[in-house]
Amino acid sequence: MKVLTTDIGRLRGPVWSPDGQYIAAHYESGHNNLSRALWVIHAASVEANRIVAKIDLPRESGDMLAGWTPENQLGVFIQTPKVPPATFTVSATGGKAAQVTAEVELAYLEWSADGERILGTWWNPGDSALTIGSVPAGGGELTGLPLSWGREVTAGGVVDVSPDGRRIVFMGGAGAPRFARPGPENVNIWTASLDGRDLTQLTGGSRFDTHPTWSPDGRWIAFLRWLEEDPDVADILLMPSTGGEIRQVSSDADRVAVGGIAFSPDGDRIAYFSD
């Protein structure tokens, strides 16, 4: 039996009242799965207007209703107010989290070898480029890596610290366009010392090279090279960490998905995502 039809928007996530006489549902004025109101509808009435209550929500809700209690209370999921992004640490055994950055959310976090600093990437305000840098493990000022070697080099997100803690490997490139998607020639594999001065480009060409990672002994770097015919699939390649001959270690049958890869602790195997 049709209970109610709306001309604008939609109703979603209905729940019954305990006595079965009413139905409550989210009312969404658009089609983005976000609601700012609940409607209560008389389920058995034959009258044209079945709506008995409209309840405005203080903030948006993006989930179904949690239920209707015997005390006539509706359980609703409300989104919390937006807060500035931040980075936290927490003990591996659990406990209270400690904030280490304010209004900056680091991505692709990595510990320094001595555990004194946390490395990662973040967006510079007003710039399309990612910045590689670090912050003291106990919190403090972010220090960006001065990735310049006669030219600006743009980081591409993924950063990995060498086992000896002296260098990083990352995806990025020189000459990437500002505020535009970079081309394959702008996304290659680079290494740099932790002060950013000893910058070395290891790959280059007409394919996207991404998601680099060090082997546990520091001798090798594995990375992905996207397929030209299918940008969601890649090959896993291996090269010496100082540069040199590159060899493919995956096959077409592996269907390696574009995403993070990781060496096993003994360095004999590489874990990857597959579609």
Side-chain angles (χ1 to χ4, degrees), residues 6 12 19 25 39 73 89 103 110 121 179 197 232 250 255 261 269:
T6 61
R12 190 167 68 97
D19 60 10
W39 286 9
Q73 293 181 326
T89 60
E103 299 189 3
E110 287 284 337
T121 60
F179 305 104
R197 295 183 180 179
D232 294 324
S250 64
R255 296 287 296 174
I261 57 176
R269 300 181 70 82

Side-chain angles (χ1 to χ4, degrees), residues 10 12 26 28 30-35 60-63 79:
R10 62 182 178 180
R12 190 167 68 97
H26 276 292
E28 299 170 357
H31 293 279
N32 57 357
N33 293 333
L34 294 176
S35 167
E60 290 180 334
S61 175
D63 291 279
Q79 293 185 359

